[in-house]
């Protein structure tokens, strides 16, 4: 088997389009080994330190936490847990300043350190091969390991590619192409053995891919030598290639080492590759071997405004102002504080912001070292930006579409393939901040897509509810139609069987209804009632005419006209009432004349049934008028008992005959029974009052 150095000679790196060669300025921070600083009094630990969802706190205000203790749980797949960088007391859980281009605060846990650095109980592993890859992934996830060279994507998710992708190449990124930053360089120089041990774990989790490539730019000779020495007994390839910015970009490094190109808006796993940073590999080793969560990292602290530039292993959560104080920052010479390098970094305004998992550099330049950009001028269409773009995009067109907010064109020109390396802005003779336009356009598109997704979900919910209600209404209508058909069929069957009990009951009910209608008609045709109604109508009409005449005498203007019109209508009503009364009064005489012509007078015993019913009702009313309240109540109770007995008999008959209207008979019987019980309670109350 070839050793790593021999195989490295066989590998010929490729090139990628574009790229620039800015001043490296890396020697300033490599003059001394990785150091450390005094522990800060307060550590501010943000609940979100990379890509994904914000973690959920597991501690409360006033809790004592130990170093390495999990203080926040991951919320979902794309999320990382958070651990205490040191022992101490939780003094706040609130929004704090964080290192982010937006400058907005984020939820954080503030720990007041006790200086004792007391560790919680860890779970070390002597031999990682004794565990299954799934178990190792769980340890990496629980230790909160995230990508330490870029966006902080959860490492466990990246090592477990979904969609059945077959991984044949593992790439370990030791490029560190950004000017000023030397954190990975110093890490490879001093801790190469731990990095290689971490690469072995990564390869084991990925089922030993065919190739394991460790890419390093040729401007790091000490790191190259240290890594080759650490990998000499492995099958890992240390691939050295010429320095060019931004060769450290994931897609650019893949193209350099393998010649493969990641598809538009695709992932390295789509071409069979997983890419990890050297710092991440070391963090994976510490997590598996010693059970240590990611609570510190190597960060470059550099700039001419500092008395001392170097790399430090600093606890996560350490405020930046504390780091600047430890390195002798000259406030009068400081131009600004940049997180990251001059090409892809961003300025922060609040030095209370802490170091997080992705903080690889704190740059504190003077105005002479990094002068402010001059005002932007109009684009001269020189095309230098297109030549420098490592993603083969058309920055000029993207710039114009970003200015007019043409989102469709931006996406058509592959805006999201831009890695925001800043090469286009670096070569622009008009000093146009192209990357700022691209970042803003990406944010607008993400917001618009999120709103569209939210709107689509709301519309889907509405349409689903509408369909559900329509289906429920159709089901109800079908049941009603089935009941109607069943009732109609039962009616037809009863009609076809004249001797059946149902038919007999039907005829009896019909006779009862006909008798009731006859009684009502008789009451309406009674001359005395007609005469009384006509007299009441006349009296009411006369009264209204008198009232309107009285109002009209004292009215003026438009009110008088209105009252006059109302009086006219009332007089017409009065005239109609008089005519109606005359007609009613004339009817009895005409009837008498007709009787005389016939020569017969109706005898009392030959009165119509309607007249008999009227007389019976009058007699009952007269008798009731002479009753006491107790007698009236007793009569009502007796009548209700008779009606309840009749309803019960009808119900029993319906049940015996399996009548379809049983439920209606039950409701009627219950209603009668409730009325009877109410009257009996009233009678009992009266009796109790008398006693």
């Amino acid at each position: 088997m070839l050793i790593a150095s021999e195989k490295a000679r066989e590998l010929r790196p490729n090139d990628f389009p574009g790229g620039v060669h800015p001043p490296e300025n890396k020697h300033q921070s490599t003059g001394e080994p990785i150091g450390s600083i005094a522990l800060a009094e307060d550590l501010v630990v943000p609940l979100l330190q990379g890509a994904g969802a914000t973690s959920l706190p597991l501690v409360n205000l006033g809790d004592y936490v130990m170093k390495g203790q999990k203080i926040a749980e991951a919320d979902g797949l794309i999320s990382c847990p958070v651990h205490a960088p040191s022992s101490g007391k939780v003094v706040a859980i609130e929004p704090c300043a964080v290192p982010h281009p937006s400058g907005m605060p984020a939820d954080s846990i503030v720990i007041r350190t006790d200086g004792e650095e007391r560790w919680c109980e860890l779970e070390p592993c002597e031999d990682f091969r004794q565990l299954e890859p799934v178990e190792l992934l769980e340890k990496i996830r629980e230790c909160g390991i995230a990508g330490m060279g870029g966006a902080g994507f959860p490492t466990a998710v990246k090592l477990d590619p979904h969609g059945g992708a077959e991984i044949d190449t593992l790439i370990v990124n030791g490029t560190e192409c950004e000017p000023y930053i030397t954190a990975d360089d110093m890490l490879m120089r001093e801790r190469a053995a731990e990095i290689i041990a971490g690469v072995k774990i990564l390869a084991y989790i990925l089922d030993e891919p065919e190739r394991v490539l460790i890419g390093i730019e040729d401007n790091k000779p000490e790191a190259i030598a240290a890594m080759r020495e650490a990998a000499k007994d492995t099958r890992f390839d240390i691939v050295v290639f010429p320095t060019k910015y931004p060769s450290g970009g994931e897609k650019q490094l893949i193209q350099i080492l393998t010649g493969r190109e990641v598809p538009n808006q695709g992932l390295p796993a789509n071409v069979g590759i997983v890419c990890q940073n050297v710092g991440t590999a070391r963090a994976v080793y510490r997590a598996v071997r010693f059970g240590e969560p990611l609570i510190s990292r190597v960060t470059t602290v550099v700039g001419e405004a500092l008395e001392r530039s170097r790399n430090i292993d600093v606890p996560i959560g350490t405020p930046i102002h504390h780091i600047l104080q430890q390195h002798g920052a000259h406030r009068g010479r400081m131009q600004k504080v940049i997180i990251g390098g001059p090409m892809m970094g961003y300025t922060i305004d609040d030095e209370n912001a802490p170091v997080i998992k992705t903080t690889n550099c704190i740059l504190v330049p003077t105005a002479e070292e990094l002068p402010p950009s001059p005002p932007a001028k109009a684009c001269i269409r020189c095309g230098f930006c297109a030549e420098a773009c490592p993603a083969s995009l058309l920055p000029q067109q993207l710039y114009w579409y970003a200015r007019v907010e043409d989102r469709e064109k931006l996406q058509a020109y592959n805006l999201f393939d831009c890695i925001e390396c800043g090469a286009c802005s670096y070569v622009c003779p008009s000093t146009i901040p192209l990357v700022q336009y691209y970042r803003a356009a990406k944010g607008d598109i993400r917001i618009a897509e999120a709103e569209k997704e939210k709107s689509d979900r709301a519309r889907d919910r509405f349409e689903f509810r509408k369909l559900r209600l329509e289906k429920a209404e159709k089901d109800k209508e079908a049941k009603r139609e089935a009941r109607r058909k069943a009732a109609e069929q039962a009616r037809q069957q009863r009609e076809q069987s004249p001797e059946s009990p149902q038919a007999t009951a039907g005829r009896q009910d019909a006779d009862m209804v006909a008798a009731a209608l006859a009684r009502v008609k008789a009451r309406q045709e009674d001359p005395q009632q007609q005469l009384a109604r006509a007299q009441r109508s006349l009296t009411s009409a006369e009264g209204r005419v008198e009232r309107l005449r009285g109002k009209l005498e004292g009215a003026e203007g438009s009110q008088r006209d209105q009252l006059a019109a109302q009086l006219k209508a009332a007089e017409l009503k009065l005239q109609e009432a008089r005519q109606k009364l005359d007609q009613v009064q004339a009817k009895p005489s005409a009837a008498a004349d007709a009787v005389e012509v016939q020569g017969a007078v109706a005898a009392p015993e030959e009165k119509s049934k309607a007249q008999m019913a009227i007389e019976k009702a009058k007699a009952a009313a007269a008798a009731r008028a002479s009753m006491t309240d107790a007698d009236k109540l007793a009569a009502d109770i007796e009548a209700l008992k008779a009606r309840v007995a009749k309803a019960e008999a009808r119900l029993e008959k319906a049940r015996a005959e399996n009548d379809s209207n049983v439920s209606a008979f039950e409701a009627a019987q219950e209603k009668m029974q409730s009325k009877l019980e109410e009257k009996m309670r009233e009678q009992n109350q009266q009796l109790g009052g008398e006693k």
Side-chain angles (χ1 to χ4, degrees), residues 443-559:
D444 291 341
I445 291 174
R446 290 189 183 102
I447 292 173
E449 289 179 346
E451 290 295 328
K452 181 178 181 300
E453 183 180 356
K454 182 179 179 181
S455 175
D456 291 343
R457 287 198 301 267
R459 185 176 62 254
D460 291 342
R461 288 196 300 269
F462 170 77
E463 292 178 353
F464 177 77
R465 180 177 181 274
K466 184 178 178 182
L467 290 174
R468 178 169 54 80
L469 293 178
E470 289 177 354
K471 182 178 181 300
E473 186 60 31
K474 288 180 180 178
D475 292 343
K476 290 180 181 178
E477 184 62 30
K479 291 179 180 178
R480 286 194 292 266
E481 183 65 18
R483 288 196 297 268
R484 187 189 66 77
K485 289 182 179 179
E488 180 66 19
Q489 185 178 4
R491 186 187 65 78
Q492 292 176 359
Q493 291 176 353
R494 288 195 300 270
E495 291 177 353
Q496 292 173 1
S497 302
E499 301 305 323
S500 64
Q502 292 89 342
T504 304
R507 285 196 301 272
Q508 291 176 354
D509 292 342
D511 293 343
M512 292 174 63
V513 172
L517 291 174
R519 288 195 297 272
V520 173
K521 186 176 180 180
R523 283 197 298 270
Q524 291 177 347
E525 293 178 354
D526 182 22
Q528 294 181 1
Q529 291 189 4
Q530 291 180 0
L531 179 61
R533 284 198 298 269
Q535 290 175 346
R536 286 197 299 271
S537 299
L538 178 61
T539 303
S540 176
E542 289 175 346
R544 179 169 174 76
V545 169
E546 291 298 328
R547 288 195 301 274
L548 288 174
R549 284 175 179 172
K551 291 182 180 180
L552 184 63
E553 291 178 359
E556 296 180 357
S558 59
Q559 185 180 9

Side-chain angles (χ1 to χ4, degrees), residues 57-270:
L58 298 176
V59 295
N60 297 313
L61 193 66
D63 287 354
Y64 181 83
V65 296
M66 303 184 73
K67 186 175 183 179
Q69 176 183 334
K70 183 160 67 173
I71 57 177
E73 183 63 82
D75 184 18
L77 177 65
I78 313 300
S79 181
C80 272
V82 176
H83 301 77
S86 184
S87 58
K89 182 180 179 181
V90 176
V91 295
I93 303 176
E94 61 187 8
C96 299
V98 295
H100 192 272
S102 67
M104 297 178 64
D107 291 339
S108 306
I109 297 175
V110 182
I111 300 173
R112 180 147 297 163
T113 58
D114 58 8
E116 297 182 8
E117 298 281 9
R118 289 195 288 176
W119 279 89
C120 67
E121 185 177 353
L122 303 179
E123 297 182 3
C125 176
E126 295 287 343
D127 184 5
F128 67 87
R129 296 187 184 275
Q130 298 298 320
L131 301 177
E132 293 294 327
V134 175
E135 297 176 290
L136 293 174
L137 283 174
E138 184 61 26
K139 287 181 70 69
I140 292 170
R141 181 180 291 108
E142 282 299 307
C143 287
I145 310 300
M148 301 176 68
F153 197 82
T155 302
V157 178
K158 205 169 182 180
L159 290 173
D160 186 18
H162 299 275
E166 295 185 2
I167 306 301
D168 60 20
T169 303
L170 169 62
I171 291 179
V172 181
N173 189 348
T175 307
E176 200 170 48
C177 60
E178 178 91 5
Y180 284 98
I181 306 177
T182 59
D184 290 346
D185 184 2
M186 296 302 296
L187 192 67
M188 288 187 288
R189 293 188 195 187
E190 299 184 17
R191 298 168 189 179
E194 292 187 352
I195 295 173
I196 295 299
V199 175
K200 291 179 181 178
I201 298 173
L202 298 178
Y204 174 74
I205 292 174
L206 295 172
D207 196 18
E208 300 297 343
E210 296 176 9
R211 297 185 297 176
V212 178
L213 308 177
I214 302 173
I216 308 174
E217 280 187 331
D218 60 6
N219 62 349
K220 303 176 181 62
E222 295 89 345
I224 294 169
M227 291 295 289
R228 282 179 173 167
E229 177 65 23
K232 65 181 179 180
D233 294 328
T234 69
R235 64 185 185 88
F236 306 154
D237 296 330
I238 309 298
V239 185
V240 181
F241 49 89
T243 300
K244 183 170 71 167
Y245 180 83
S247 58
E250 189 174 60
K251 294 183 179 180
Q252 285 67 43
L253 183 60
I254 290 172
Q255 191 170 359
I256 290 171
L257 298 183
T258 66
R260 302 176 189 176
E261 293 189 21
V262 179
N264 180 29
Q265 295 189 7
L267 298 173
N270 299 138

Side-chain angles (χ1 to χ4, degrees), residues 628-631 633 682-691:
T628 63
D629 292 340
D631 293 338
L633 184 58
E682 186 177 350
Q683 187 181 47
N684 292 334
Q685 290 175 358
Q686 285 185 355
L687 294 174
E690 292 176 359
K691 290 179 180 181

Side-chain angles (χ1 to χ4, degrees), residues 296-350:
S296 67
R297 65 155 299 139
V298 176
T299 299
T300 302
V301 184
V302 64
E304 293 184 0
L306 302 175
E307 292 182 358
R308 187 181 189 185
S309 294
R310 58 172 177 164
N311 285 276
I312 57 173
D313 194 349
V314 58
I316 289 170
T318 302
I320 290 174
H321 69 80
H322 178 74
I323 297 174
L324 298 183
Q325 181 182 5
Q326 295 290 313
H327 289 80
H330 295 278
R331 296 290 172 180
R333 301 183 60 195
M334 287 173 52
Q335 179 200 5
K336 53 187 173 182
V337 177
I338 301 173
I339 302 299
M343 301 295 289
M344 298 183 68
Y346 53 90
T347 302
I348 62 168
D349 297 324
D350 193 341

